[in-house]
Amino acid sequence: MQSIIKEYNNIDSWRTAMFLYQSAVKEVQTKLEILNDEFQYVHKYNPIEHIKSRVKTAESIAKKLKRHGKEVTIENMVRYVKDIAGVRLICSYTTDIYRLAEMIGNQGDLKVLSVKDYIKNPKPSGYKSYHMLVSVPIYLSDSVVDTKVEIQIRTIAMDFWASLEHKMHYKFEGQAPEYISDELRKCAEIVATLDERMLSLNEAILAFQTEEPEEASNEILLEDNPLIHLR
Ligand code: 0O2
């Protein structure tokens, strides 16, 4: 273990660091694809709609270090920028998010270093997402290097919102006109409502499908209809 930590702290070249982050993204993405395939095989359901992966650009790393008041060095980048390797999981429903988080937490070779639940505690901007910082062992020919990857899990609707908010943030460099920030906050509320209603609707559809074969007739009493609880 000691030798692994020493190796990690000894990363002194940009190419070595980027090679490790790219390998870590591949490793985590493959793991999550396998989990999703297994879930489909066992439960006939995919909790992941799609996966987006990226390694942060040099420009973005430098910007983040400056934002945190740190000198732009390889050492500081490895120590302070936690999301250089990033994997984003897009799901249909909020329940998928917590199901996936639990599945990730149960992976023996991934160490969960920290969790930020911006779904239960959204940012003042309205940003919602579930962030997990994990470390994954990268097996090289002569050593093993634990490498950090930030996994972001969010619904399709949250992702749609976050993409536009990100665009706004970059366009106005944090100085967006008040009416645009206000409108985005209102859209975040609509996103939350949409996610809730889509989840209820999906549950109602699933309940209907499982109950139907046991019914003597196809008639459904109004008070038994799960859809009437939606609003
Ligand atoms: P980019 O350009 O997307 O890579 P930080 O608060 O960011 O200084 P930390 O610990 O990395 O420090 O924070 P966090 O909360 O885990 O955020 C990491 C990433 O989550 C961000 O990376 C964004 O991708 C995303 N994120 C966090 N907050 C927001 C938000 O309010 N709106 C949107 N659209 N995305 C957010 P970067 O490096 O900030 O940006």
Side-chain angles (χ1 to χ4, degrees):
M1 188 65 189
Q2 201 52 38
S3 66
I4 293 170
I5 293 166
K6 198 168 153 229
E7 181 80 25
Y8 195 78
N9 285 341
N10 279 351
I11 295 170
D12 55 1
S13 92
W14 170 258
R15 283 185 58 212
T16 310
M18 286 301 124
F19 167 76
L20 285 168
Y21 288 122
Q22 271 151 10
S23 306
V25 160
K26 270 194 211 162
E27 194 74 59
V28 170
Q29 172 149 355
T30 306
K31 250 181 166 315
L32 294 166
E33 279 168 0
I34 293 171
L35 274 181
N36 200 36
D37 291 349
E38 186 219 22
F39 212 82
Q40 165 68 31
Y41 174 64
V42 176
H43 303 284
K44 308 275 176 282
Y45 175 72
N46 280 327
I48 304 174
E49 272 292 323
H50 58 275
I51 303 181
K52 295 183 202 168
S53 299
R54 63 104 181 92
V55 173
K56 235 177 167 51
T57 61
E59 192 193 358
S60 177
I61 294 169
K63 253 191 190 170
K64 195 154 189 170
L65 279 172
K66 284 180 194 156
R67 198 165 80 212
H68 287 283
K70 305 285 178 205
E71 198 190 334
V72 181
T73 64
I74 304 288
E75 205 192 333
N76 281 347
M77 153 184 126
V78 172
R79 183 171 303 166
Y80 298 112
V81 186
K82 311 275 168 54
D83 62 338
I84 296 177
V87 175
R88 187 172 293 156
L89 307 181
I90 315 298
C91 314
S92 294
Y93 308 105
T94 44
T95 43
D96 294 329
I97 296 177
Y98 292 101
R99 188 176 290 150
L100 280 166
E102 198 186 331
M103 278 157 64
I104 292 166
N106 289 337
Q107 296 290 296
D109 53 349
L110 289 187
K111 208 183 299 159
V112 179
L113 304 174
S114 64
V115 167
K116 290 182 191 168
D117 188 345
Y118 295 123
I119 296 171
K120 293 209 171 89
N121 303 298
K123 287 200 167 182
S125 60
Y127 178 74
K128 280 185 158 196
S129 190
Y130 191 91
H131 293 190
M132 298 177 88
L133 184 65
V134 301
S135 87
V136 59
I138 302 300
Y139 287 82
L140 304 176
S141 55
D142 58 354
S143 57
V144 182
V145 187
D146 275 348
T147 306
K148 290 187 185 103
V149 178
E150 184 180 76
I151 304 177
Q152 298 183 349
I153 321 176
R154 50 173 83 145
T155 63
I156 300 168
M158 289 173 195
D159 191 51
F160 183 32
W161 183 94
S163 304
L164 188 59
E165 201 265 355
H166 191 263
K167 194 163 145 190
M168 178 202 78
H169 201 76
Y170 274 79
K171 174 91 183 166
F172 298 107
E173 294 183 335
Q175 306 292 314
E178 198 57 29
Y179 77 95
I180 291 187
S181 313
D182 278 353
E183 184 59 12
L184 262 169
R185 267 190 292 274
K186 284 179 198 146
C187 286
E189 285 165 23
I190 296 170
V191 162
T193 308
L194 178 67
D195 273 338
E196 265 171 43
R197 290 181 67 174
M198 293 296 268
L199 176 64
S200 301
L201 190 54
N202 185 47
E203 283 169 353
I205 292 167
L206 289 176
F208 183 80
Q209 281 168 348
T210 49
E211 279 164 19
E212 195 184 26
E214 288 158 26
E215 296 285 338
S217 81
N218 282 334
E219 271 183 41
I220 298 163
L221 292 173
L222 196 57
E223 60 268 32
D224 290 336
N225 185 345
L227 283 171
I228 64 169
H229 303 301
L230 285 176
R231 285 170 192 245

